[in-house]
Amino acid sequence: LADRFRAEGYLTAAIVGGGQVSARYGLAKGFDLFDERAWVHKDNDLAGLHFGRVANWIKENRPSPFFLFIHTYQPHDPYDAPSPWGQMFLDADAGWRRGDLQVILGAGFQELFKTMTPAETANLIGLYDGEIRYTDEALVGPLVALLREIGLYDRTLVVLTSDHGEKF
């Protein structure tokens, strides 16, 4: 996709969270800029950090037509969104205030299929929902607001997609 946009004269940039979305796997192909921070999914405020980088790039390059790919591991295990988002959907008696599936389910193959109680499942869903809400408020909402503020919103196509769900 980046190759196609680039061939049509667009600036192409990717601001990504590293991990499997990395230049080492060939994903930088076609991008004028491929900005990755390796394994930043360990930062609990990745969406906010990304917005700063995204906003700076858009402001610097807005006179040109552009294709910008943004990837974040924010709504992803481990579930540890900053306060208050990380806990805003939890029941008062939730056992986990943060969710690391390798700790909760175990690192071995068999443990990954362990049956969870309804309360444990609700706890993880609450933590995951906090990640989604934080991403909306720290990255998606501010991005839309920035595009409106600088007059690009009505000329911009914003596409949101996911690599997978969390099977809740």
Side-chain angles (χ1 to χ4, degrees):
L1 192 56
D3 281 333
R4 297 292 299 266
F5 275 107
R6 196 174 187 190
E8 294 297 321
Y10 285 69
L11 286 177
T12 59
I15 297 174
V16 303
Q20 281 69 34
V21 182
S22 174
R24 69 179 159 211
Y25 300 120
L27 296 173
K29 184 178 180 307
F31 287 102
D32 298 307
L33 168 73
F34 196 85
D35 181 356
E36 72 179 291
R37 293 178 50 200
W39 300 105
V40 291
H41 66 282
K42 296 182 190 290
D43 291 338
N44 76 340
D45 61 345
L46 182 59
L49 293 171
H50 262 28
F51 177 69
R53 293 159 58 207
V54 165
N56 287 339
W57 188 89
I58 290 173
K59 288 175 185 176
E60 290 171 9
N61 294 285
R62 73 179 190 190
S64 303
F66 63 84
F67 167 67
L68 175 60
F69 173 73
I70 306 165
H71 172 269
T72 180
Y73 280 106
Q74 186 72 55
H76 198 281
D77 172 58
Y79 309 130
D80 188 25
S83 184
W85 298 276
Q87 292 75 42
M88 71 184 347
F89 296 104
L90 297 181
D91 294 333
D93 61 346
W96 301 308
R97 307 314 272 174
R98 130 177 239 291
D100 185 332
L101 295 180
Q102 290 188 350
V103 172
I104 292 169
L105 299 176
F109 178 75
Q110 294 302 321
E111 292 86 0
L112 292 177
F113 299 100
K114 135 182 175 178
T115 301
M116 298 182 67
T117 68
E120 289 173 330
T121 301
N123 193 163
L124 287 179
I125 290 171
L127 291 169
Y128 180 61
D129 288 350
E131 292 284 351
I132 294 168
R133 178 72 170 267
Y134 176 67
T135 303
D136 285 347
E137 292 187 18
L139 177 60
V140 178
L143 173 61
V144 170
L146 173 65
L147 293 171
R148 283 189 169 124
E149 175 187 320
I150 62 176
L152 293 180
Y153 182 78
D154 291 331
R155 298 182 300 136
T156 301
L157 175 64
V158 177
V159 178
L160 299 175
T161 187
S162 173
D163 61 338
H164 62 83
E166 292 294 74
K167 201 175 169 185
F168 295 133

